[in-house]
Amino acid sequence: MKRQMIVPDTVLKCEDFGVTIHEKGVRIKTWAPCAIRVRIALYETGDDLFREELPMEKLKDGIFKIELPLKYVNYYYTYILTCAETDYEVVDPYAHSAGPNSQKAMIIDLKASNPEGWEKHRIPDALPQHEAIIYEVHVRDFSANKCAGIKNRGKYLAFTERGTGCDKTPTGLDHLIELGITHVHLMPVSDYQTVDEYTSRNYNWGYDPVLFNVPEGSYCTDIHDGYARVRELKSAIMAMHEAGIRVVLDVVYNHTYESVHSNLNRIAPGYFYRHNADGSLSNGSGCGNELATERPAVRKFILDSLKYWLMEYKVDGFRFDLLGLYDVQTVKEIANELRAMRPDIILYGEPWVGGDSALPEADRFLKTKQVGLGVGLLNDDFRNAIKGDNDGVGRGFAFGLTDMKPWVELGIVASTEMKDGRKGFAASAEEVVNYASAHDNLVLWDKIEKACGIYSENEKLAMHSLSLAIVLTSFGMTFIQAGTEFVRTKLGHHNSYNAGDDINMLDWRHKHEYIEHYEYIRGLIAFRRESDFFKWRTQKEIRDHVVFYKAPEGCILYEITGRGGKRCVIAHNGIPVSQEIHCPDGSYRIVAESGSYYGEKGAMLEIAGKDHVAVAPYTSLILESVLPQV
């Protein structure tokens, strides 16, 4: 049933929905505007069938409250709502922990959930958003393979283990440190529906949310202990922080797994979801429903949840699933309020929808709506220009399609406006996230296999290296899908959200097998972080310090001037033959070429007059000028 209701300020300004533990007891509050009465059901364990029921006090404006003695700390609870003489048992949407499979919320003392050293552990120093190098990984994929040498396979605690390896190469956290990324992007870790926490035999990416403020139980070591999932996720975050790595959470506030029977819909029937003109649920998520972010209490719930994760778990950023389903005002408030709390937080998301939405297009947070907000958007235009379509045989610049050259050049300058008038959707480098592949669709290697299967193994590896090199030598946030640094494959599965560990888990043996490719990507990450060439942020700075030169068809040639006056000349050759380019005169060190990274050990190259330089097929040539001694 569709309901439009005015939500009073008493609800919108309430800061203690859910559980609050104080010196004298436990306060629990909920908003159930359509309920005649609400009782709380209390259980000693998360599996308990026996319960104690107590009435909750009805306050004004649909708020219900109960005060309990401290003996109920560590109990589990649900709400029993009576609406039109029908009773519904509901799990608190504001719950902070839960029993197995989201059946009961927990009255958890959050202070007791902190691992040793949590309060004073060191969070990495602030980093400008556009300098982030993000590593997207699924908790289970990271360590499920036995070859990882990790004890806590598939668990949060895998991110705390040191000294792990496979074929004499580091795995796990040691690998992340060695690789040099700045941020780990954890695919959804808030509680979701379709993995049975009792067995963990089935698999899912986690884009099917149930309890937005509760860590997923299948990733913890004891699902019967409501503290374990909280403590172990905090332990993982702390371990990464202490290793100098920041943590981003992938959040899914655009829909819920259930629709009519969801906790949110039982609490406030019809209010939390958008509806079509005929009363049916709008399905812009492609998952059966979509949250009405523009409604005040929905916006409040999202903001409350984000602030909770930010403060309680000390995370460093958020990635928003289907950001196009959020209304513009909500995203503005998210950006403003979270940055007021944590100025160095990074925010980015998908600027699209998953289907037809009842939210008017003008109100959707799509490309260009991010200008001036400091919210990054995944740059699918750049991605497609590099590699072609996601799952088909279409090819991009890195696979030989020269028509994509202008679009790749635009992506290199963060899709800002170029000197020749070409214009993208962004106004600064902090507004774009550059990538070649992500969890959705074919991984990069499988895309190459499908579109370029007739090519030799060496040519395909060169295309893979070139694709990532283009991303790593462009302006904007850098995004790497876990495992692409060592040529990950999912055996051609383009939508592996429930395909299981055999398809999804990282095969750490690939790191040794493709060690040259890995060292190349690792080297480019180090070059990007250590030089100042890619630190320009604004459109003006990029235009003032980047010059594109004339180059043969299928080749891109540009020069970047750094803050100290050094110059970097980069050439990308996207076709299967070597090409001759004419670089600006000067003394250079060859930083990288033909899929090999040399860095400071690179050979010297003198260019003068009409000298030409050869760029090998499907390769990036990176030259760094050597300033004369003063």
Side-chain angles (χ1 to χ4, degrees):
M1 179 171 60
K2 183 179 178 182
R3 288 181 182 268
Q4 298 290 343
M5 63 178 75
I6 297 174
V7 182
D9 281 349
T10 51
V11 174
L12 298 179
K13 293 180 179 180
C14 183
E15 296 181 353
D16 60 348
F17 282 130
V19 171
T20 302
I21 298 175
H22 51 89
E23 291 183 359
K24 296 182 179 180
V26 178
R27 180 185 305 114
I28 303 178
K29 276 186 181 179
T30 190
W31 178 58
C34 300
I36 299 169
R37 60 181 175 272
V38 178
R39 291 165 288 160
I40 191 168
L42 296 158
Y43 303 82
E44 288 192 21
T45 71
D47 295 303
D48 209 341
L49 297 177
F50 299 98
R51 68 193 188 195
E52 176 184 4
E53 292 184 18
L54 298 172
M56 297 184 73
E57 179 186 359
K58 187 173 185 178
L59 308 179
K60 64 179 181 178
D61 301 326
I63 296 176
F64 291 80
K65 180 189 80 166
I66 190 168
E67 295 280 353
L68 298 170
L70 286 170
K71 73 173 187 178
Y72 286 103
V73 173
N74 301 336
Y75 269 60
Y76 293 77
Y77 71 101
T78 58
Y79 298 131
I80 301 173
L81 311 178
T82 301
C83 303
E85 302 306 318
T86 301
D87 286 349
Y88 301 102
E89 189 167 12
V90 175
V91 182
D92 186 358
Y94 274 85
H96 294 149
S97 190
N101 287 340
S102 321
Q103 295 301 300
K104 301 176 183 68
M106 185 189 187
I107 303 173
I108 183 173
D109 180 358
L110 288 168
K111 290 182 180 179
S113 73
N114 295 336
E116 184 178 353
W118 172 257
E119 291 294 348
K120 295 183 179 180
H121 88 267
R122 184 177 181 275
I123 297 174
D125 294 338
L127 184 75
Q129 178 161 297
H130 66 290
E131 295 182 26
I133 302 174
I134 301 161
Y135 189 85
E136 181 203 43
V137 67
H138 185 274
V139 169
R140 189 158 153 175
D141 295 355
F142 185 64
S143 59
N145 199 318
K146 291 181 180 179
C147 73
I150 291 172
K151 177 183 176 182
N152 292 284
R153 292 192 293 120
K155 305 299 182 183
Y156 297 122
L157 291 180
F159 290 90
T160 69
E161 296 186 36
R162 301 296 300 271
T164 63
C166 174
D167 293 334
K168 298 182 180 180
T169 60
T171 62
L173 180 57
D174 288 349
H175 169 80
L176 298 178
I177 297 168
E178 179 187 72
L179 183 58
I181 48 89
T182 66
H183 291 74
V184 163
H185 159 155
L186 294 176
M187 289 171 63
V189 295
S190 63
D191 176 76
Y192 59 87
Q193 179 71 30
T194 52
V195 170
D196 182 356
E197 293 179 2
Y198 286 103
T199 65
S200 293
R201 289 175 185 162
N202 46 342
Y203 175 98
N204 205 280
W205 282 342
Y207 295 97
D208 51 341
V210 180
L211 297 175
F212 288 92
N213 299 330
V214 175
E216 167 60 23
S218 64
Y219 301 147
C220 78
T221 59
D222 185 356
I223 61 169
H224 301 285
D225 177 3
Y227 284 90
R229 63 181 73 201
V230 179
R231 182 180 297 111
E232 292 174 11
L233 176 55
K234 287 180 176 179
S235 295
I237 292 168
M238 182 169 68
M240 285 187 273
H241 278 171
E242 293 179 334
I245 298 170
R246 300 156 189 83
V247 180
V248 173
L249 297 188
D250 194 332
V251 290
V252 192
Y253 297 108
N254 60 75
H255 73 282
T256 55
Y257 177 76
E258 294 280 5
S259 297
V260 174
H261 302 297
S262 73
N263 296 314
L264 291 175
N265 199 56
R266 293 299 197 200
I267 288 280
Y271 180 80
F272 277 86
Y273 300 92
R274 294 189 185 116
H275 294 77
N276 298 311
D278 63 1
S280 62
L281 285 164
S282 182
N283 188 22
S285 67
C287 301
N289 62 69
E290 60 185 87
L291 292 189
T293 62
E294 68 279 7
R295 294 181 185 165
V298 183
R299 181 180 293 156
K300 170 185 167 53
F301 177 76
I302 294 170
L303 279 164
D304 286 349
S305 179
L306 289 167
K307 291 174 183 177
Y308 171 72
W309 285 106
L310 183 64
M311 299 304 293
E312 185 64 32
Y313 287 84
K314 302 182 187 290
V315 296
D316 308 282
F318 297 100
R319 177 269 192 191
F320 295 86
D321 187 61
L322 295 184
L323 197 52
L325 287 178
Y326 291 64
D327 67 289
V328 174
Q329 184 58 36
T330 292
V331 181
K332 286 182 178 179
E333 292 190 25
I334 288 171
N336 292 336
E337 294 193 27
L338 295 190
R339 284 225 165 84
M341 299 168 67
R342 178 82 180 271
D344 64 323
I345 193 173
I346 71 168
L347 304 170
Y348 59 97
E350 296 176 313
W352 50 74
V353 299
D356 292 335
S357 173
L359 181 67
E361 187 164 348
D363 296 333
R364 301 176 191 173
F365 199 82
L366 303 172
K367 289 174 185 173
T368 73
K369 299 295 177 66
Q370 86 293 339
V371 172
L373 280 182
V375 176
L377 300 182
L378 289 165
N379 195 345
D380 57 326
D381 298 326
F382 193 24
R383 175 200 67 193
N384 296 346
I386 293 170
K387 71 173 185 179
D389 58 29
N390 279 317
D391 298 324
V393 297
R395 293 185 294 162
F397 173 84
F399 306 167
L401 187 63
T402 59
D403 291 351
M404 290 291 102
K405 176 176 174 176
W407 296 100
V408 173
E409 290 176 335
L410 186 59
I412 286 169
V413 294
S415 292
T416 56
E417 186 172 2
M418 299 179 69
K419 293 175 183 177
D420 62 8
R422 278 180 283 169
K423 188 176 182 179
F425 63 88
S428 71
E430 66 187 357
E431 295 174 3
V432 298
V433 180
N434 297 323
Y435 69 117
S437 66
H439 66 272
D440 281 320
N441 309 111
L442 291 172
V443 297
L444 182 57
W445 179 255
D446 292 346
K447 166 61 184 175
I448 293 170
E449 287 277 40
K450 186 166 185 177
C452 308
I454 63 172
Y455 289 76
S456 70
E457 187 81 357
N458 285 339
E459 286 175 313
K460 289 183 287 188
L461 281 171
M463 294 174 187
H464 199 275
S465 298
L466 174 60
S467 300
L468 294 176
I470 292 172
V471 170
L472 282 161
T473 55
S474 300
F475 291 89
M477 303 162 71
T478 301
F479 178 104
I480 300 170
Q481 183 186 10
T484 52
E485 71 275 21
F486 48 72
V487 195
R488 182 183 188 179
T489 177
K490 292 187 182 181
L491 304 179
H493 284 258
H494 75 280
N495 188 21
S496 63
Y497 75 98
N498 64 351
D501 292 327
D502 289 347
I503 296 299
N504 286 286
M505 64 184 176
L506 296 182
D507 186 347
W508 290 97
R509 294 170 297 184
H510 273 218
K511 184 177 177 181
H512 178 75
E513 183 179 354
Y514 295 101
I515 193 65
E516 291 183 4
H517 182 280
Y518 166 74
E519 291 294 350
Y520 175 65
I521 302 306
R522 178 189 174 198
L524 291 183
I525 289 172
F527 178 67
R528 183 180 182 89
R529 291 190 66 175
E530 293 166 8
S531 73
D532 62 5
F533 296 120
F534 305 99
K535 291 180 168 49
W536 302 120
R537 182 183 64 86
T538 67
Q539 177 175 280
K540 184 180 186 306
E541 287 174 336
I542 296 170
R543 289 181 68 173
D544 288 348
H545 296 91
V546 180
V547 178
F548 284 89
Y549 293 110
K550 185 177 180 180
E553 186 178 6
C555 192
I556 293 171
L557 177 63
Y558 57 108
E559 179 184 61
I560 307 169
T561 304
R563 289 192 173 93
K566 269 193 174 184
R567 294 175 294 118
C568 178
V569 175
I570 300 172
H572 301 302
N573 181 11
I575 63 175
V577 296
S578 180
Q579 300 207 70
E580 298 286 326
I581 60 169
H582 181 65
C583 295
D585 292 356
S587 299
Y588 297 93
R589 178 181 291 110
I590 301 173
V591 174
E593 67 173 338
S594 301
S596 296
Y597 180 79
Y598 305 114
E600 293 296 321
K601 298 179 181 179
M604 298 302 298
L605 181 66
E606 296 289 338
I607 299 176
K610 296 183 179 180
D611 289 346
H612 284 75
V613 178
V615 187
Y618 302 121
T619 195
S620 294
L621 173 67
I622 303 175
L623 307 176
E624 183 178 13
S625 69
V626 180
L627 290 176
Q629 291 185 350
V630 178

